[in-house]
Amino acid sequence: MLENIKAQEEERKRIAVMIHDDIGNRLNILSLWLNNLDTQGDELIKKNIYGQMSSLIDAARSISHSLYPVNLESVGLVLYVEELIANLSHKINISLQVMQGYEKKDLFVEVQLYRIIQEFTTNVIKHSDATDIWIYMKDYPDNMAVVISDNGQGFEYEDVKKGMGIKNIESRIKSMNATHKWKKTFSNKGSRLIIKIPKYHEFPNQTSTD
């Protein structure tokens, strides 16, 4: 399982970097060239080209991010999640609380956590009437706790556990040798995912819905 996920991430990273560095940079260069065109040229044509260029740059960035969080290694998980929150702010309210003392994690762990948060928020936006999502992260001496909650419709775990969204999340949790629980919130409304990641990867995988 772990080796499969690592291989998938490496392939995603290779493609994402290619899109990010090659296509993205070429589009940016073309945009600069257009900006230096004779200002007496057809303004309407130039305006349309600029609009297309902006859309292409955004599309390349979006595809790259969906394949692999290319800049996560340099900016870290917290800033990358904050960027995700900003990008989704027009769809749903997301708050991030990182407790004092949080330390940067291994890149593999941070990528998996980002993917889990991304998958959770995507599922909530697509399949729930939630208006808010809360993300909480805290370091303890032996583990890191991550809690993701929403105020949507909630779900019965047994009914949805075979869905790709839940499978993807749980596969990533397992790859970190972490424990997790699914719970309901707000008087059986909304869902809550509690993840505990061992600091030294020293305890076995467990799954609970209690």
Side-chain angles (χ1 to χ4, degrees), residues 5 8 16 24 27 30-31 44 125 140 153 164 180:
I5 289 179
Q8 290 174 15
L27 289 171
L30 183 54
S31 181
L44 180 60
I125 291 170
Y140 292 93
Q153 297 172 344
M164 287 305 298
H180 73 284

PDB file of all heavy atoms in Angstrom, residues 5 8 16 24 27 30-31 44 125 140 153 164 180:
ATOM      1  N   ILE A   5       1.307   4.043  -3.070  1.00  0.00           N
ATOM      2  CA  ILE A   5       0.996   5.466  -2.913  1.00  0.00           C
ATOM      3  C   ILE A   5       2.220   6.315  -3.224  1.00  0.00           C
ATOM      4  O   ILE A   5       2.126   7.348  -3.893  1.00  0.00           O
ATOM      5  CB  ILE A   5       0.476   5.751  -1.488  1.00  0.00           C
ATOM      6  CG1 ILE A   5      -0.930   5.160  -1.337  1.00  0.00           C
ATOM      7  CG2 ILE A   5       0.468   7.253  -1.204  1.00  0.00           C
ATOM      8  CD1 ILE A   5      -1.537   5.355   0.025  1.00  0.00           C
ATOM      9  N   GLN A   8       2.648   6.400  -6.960  1.00  0.00           N
ATOM     10  CA  GLN A   8       1.642   7.275  -7.569  1.00  0.00           C
ATOM     11  C   GLN A   8       2.004   8.740  -7.364  1.00  0.00           C
ATOM     12  O   GLN A   8       1.864   9.555  -8.287  1.00  0.00           O
ATOM     13  CB  GLN A   8       0.260   6.988  -6.957  1.00  0.00           C
ATOM     14  CG  GLN A   8      -0.332   5.646  -7.363  1.00  0.00           C
ATOM     15  CD  GLN A   8      -1.618   5.353  -6.615  1.00  0.00           C
ATOM     16  OE1 GLN A   8      -2.218   6.240  -6.013  1.00  0.00           O
ATOM     17  NE2 GLN A   8      -2.028   4.092  -6.635  1.00  0.00           N
ATOM     18  N   ALA A  16       3.116  16.955 -12.728  1.00  0.00           N
ATOM     19  CA  ALA A  16       2.774  18.280 -12.217  1.00  0.00           C
ATOM     20  C   ALA A  16       3.909  19.269 -12.420  1.00  0.00           C
ATOM     21  O   ALA A  16       3.695  20.419 -12.815  1.00  0.00           O
ATOM     22  CB  ALA A  16       2.408  18.190 -10.734  1.00  0.00           C
ATOM     23  N   GLY A  24       3.415  26.334 -17.756  1.00  0.00           N
ATOM     24  CA  GLY A  24       3.183  27.563 -16.995  1.00  0.00           C
ATOM     25  C   GLY A  24       4.178  28.652 -17.333  1.00  0.00           C
ATOM     26  O   GLY A  24       3.813  29.816 -17.540  1.00  0.00           O
ATOM     27  N   LEU A  27       3.651  30.080 -20.875  1.00  0.00           N
ATOM     28  CA  LEU A  27       2.498  30.982 -20.912  1.00  0.00           C
ATOM     29  C   LEU A  27       2.860  32.338 -20.310  1.00  0.00           C
ATOM     30  O   LEU A  27       2.452  33.387 -20.818  1.00  0.00           O
ATOM     31  CB  LEU A  27       1.322  30.360 -20.158  1.00  0.00           C
ATOM     32  CG  LEU A  27       0.652  29.160 -20.832  1.00  0.00           C
ATOM     33  CD1 LEU A  27      -0.335  28.504 -19.881  1.00  0.00           C
ATOM     34  CD2 LEU A  27      -0.068  29.593 -22.100  1.00  0.00           C
ATOM     35  N   LEU A  30       4.986  34.194 -22.847  1.00  0.00           N
ATOM     36  CA  LEU A  30       4.139  34.694 -23.931  1.00  0.00           C
ATOM     37  C   LEU A  30       3.346  35.912 -23.476  1.00  0.00           C
ATOM     38  O   LEU A  30       3.169  36.878 -24.232  1.00  0.00           O
ATOM     39  CB  LEU A  30       3.193  33.590 -24.407  1.00  0.00           C
ATOM     40  CG  LEU A  30       2.279  33.916 -25.591  1.00  0.00           C
ATOM     41  CD1 LEU A  30       3.079  34.431 -26.778  1.00  0.00           C
ATOM     42  CD2 LEU A  30       1.476  32.685 -25.993  1.00  0.00           C
ATOM     43  N   SER A  31       2.884  35.884 -22.235  1.00  0.00           N
ATOM     44  CA  SER A  31       2.147  37.021 -21.689  1.00  0.00           C
ATOM     45  C   SER A  31       3.025  38.270 -21.644  1.00  0.00           C
ATOM     46  O   SER A  31       2.586  39.377 -21.958  1.00  0.00           O
ATOM     47  CB  SER A  31       1.642  36.681 -20.283  1.00  0.00           C
ATOM     48  OG  SER A  31       0.902  37.750 -19.733  1.00  0.00           O
ATOM     49  N   LEU A  44      -8.687  45.514 -28.923  1.00  0.00           N
ATOM     50  CA  LEU A  44      -9.665  44.461 -28.653  1.00  0.00           C
ATOM     51  C   LEU A  44      -9.028  43.077 -28.759  1.00  0.00           C
ATOM     52  O   LEU A  44      -9.246  42.206 -27.916  1.00  0.00           O
ATOM     53  CB  LEU A  44     -10.849  44.569 -29.626  1.00  0.00           C
ATOM     54  CG  LEU A  44     -11.956  43.511 -29.443  1.00  0.00           C
ATOM     55  CD1 LEU A  44     -12.541  43.603 -28.043  1.00  0.00           C
ATOM     56  CD2 LEU A  44     -13.048  43.713 -30.492  1.00  0.00           C
ATOM     57  N   ILE A 125     -18.211  19.994  -0.286  1.00  0.00           N
ATOM     58  CA  ILE A 125     -18.777  20.954  -1.235  1.00  0.00           C
ATOM     59  C   ILE A 125     -19.699  20.254  -2.228  1.00  0.00           C
ATOM     60  O   ILE A 125     -20.762  20.771  -2.585  1.00  0.00           O
ATOM     61  CB  ILE A 125     -17.646  21.708  -1.962  1.00  0.00           C
ATOM     62  CG1 ILE A 125     -16.922  22.641  -0.985  1.00  0.00           C
ATOM     63  CG2 ILE A 125     -18.191  22.504  -3.144  1.00  0.00           C
ATOM     64  CD1 ILE A 125     -15.652  23.256  -1.530  1.00  0.00           C
ATOM     65  N   TYR A 140       1.555  16.861  19.594  1.00  0.00           N
ATOM     66  CA  TYR A 140       1.720  16.326  20.938  1.00  0.00           C
ATOM     67  C   TYR A 140       3.092  15.651  21.004  1.00  0.00           C
ATOM     68  O   TYR A 140       3.733  15.453  19.970  1.00  0.00           O
ATOM     69  CB  TYR A 140       0.614  15.322  21.253  1.00  0.00           C
ATOM     70  CG  TYR A 140      -0.755  15.952  21.375  1.00  0.00           C
ATOM     71  CD1 TYR A 140      -1.602  16.018  20.268  1.00  0.00           C
ATOM     72  CD2 TYR A 140      -1.194  16.476  22.591  1.00  0.00           C
ATOM     73  CE1 TYR A 140      -2.862  16.602  20.380  1.00  0.00           C
ATOM     74  CE2 TYR A 140      -2.446  17.056  22.708  1.00  0.00           C
ATOM     75  CZ  TYR A 140      -3.275  17.121  21.603  1.00  0.00           C
ATOM     76  OH  TYR A 140      -4.509  17.701  21.710  1.00  0.00           O
ATOM     77  N   GLN A 153     -24.746  17.735   6.192  1.00  0.00           N
ATOM     78  CA  GLN A 153     -25.746  16.709   6.443  1.00  0.00           C
ATOM     79  C   GLN A 153     -25.208  15.517   7.221  1.00  0.00           C
ATOM     80  O   GLN A 153     -25.967  14.762   7.808  1.00  0.00           O
ATOM     81  CB  GLN A 153     -26.306  16.197   5.098  1.00  0.00           C
ATOM     82  CG  GLN A 153     -27.019  17.262   4.303  1.00  0.00           C
ATOM     83  CD  GLN A 153     -27.388  16.787   2.908  1.00  0.00           C
ATOM     84  OE1 GLN A 153     -26.860  15.781   2.429  1.00  0.00           O
ATOM     85  NE2 GLN A 153     -28.278  17.504   2.257  1.00  0.00           N
ATOM     86  N   MET A 164     -15.243   6.328  -3.382  1.00  0.00           N
ATOM     87  CA  MET A 164     -13.848   6.654  -3.681  1.00  0.00           C
ATOM     88  C   MET A 164     -13.303   7.735  -2.763  1.00  0.00           C
ATOM     89  O   MET A 164     -12.127   7.703  -2.384  1.00  0.00           O
ATOM     90  CB  MET A 164     -13.723   7.098  -5.149  1.00  0.00           C
ATOM     91  CG  MET A 164     -13.852   5.971  -6.141  1.00  0.00           C
ATOM     92  SD  MET A 164     -12.689   4.617  -5.823  1.00  0.00           S
ATOM     93  CE  MET A 164     -11.116   5.470  -6.031  1.00  0.00           C
ATOM     94  N   HIS A 180      -7.500   6.715  12.978  1.00  0.00           N
ATOM     95  CA  HIS A 180      -8.526   7.710  12.655  1.00  0.00           C
ATOM     96  C   HIS A 180      -9.899   7.274  13.132  1.00  0.00           C
ATOM     97  O   HIS A 180     -10.153   6.074  13.352  1.00  0.00           O
ATOM     98  CB  HIS A 180      -8.556   7.988  11.158  1.00  0.00           C
ATOM     99  CG  HIS A 180      -9.142   6.884  10.338  1.00  0.00           C
ATOM    100  ND1 HIS A 180      -8.462   5.717  10.062  1.00  0.00           N
ATOM    101  CD2 HIS A 180     -10.361   6.762   9.741  1.00  0.00           C
ATOM    102  CE1 HIS A 180      -9.212   4.934   9.314  1.00  0.00           C
ATOM    103  NE2 HIS A 180     -10.387   5.538   9.106  1.00  0.00           N
TER     104      HIS A 180
END
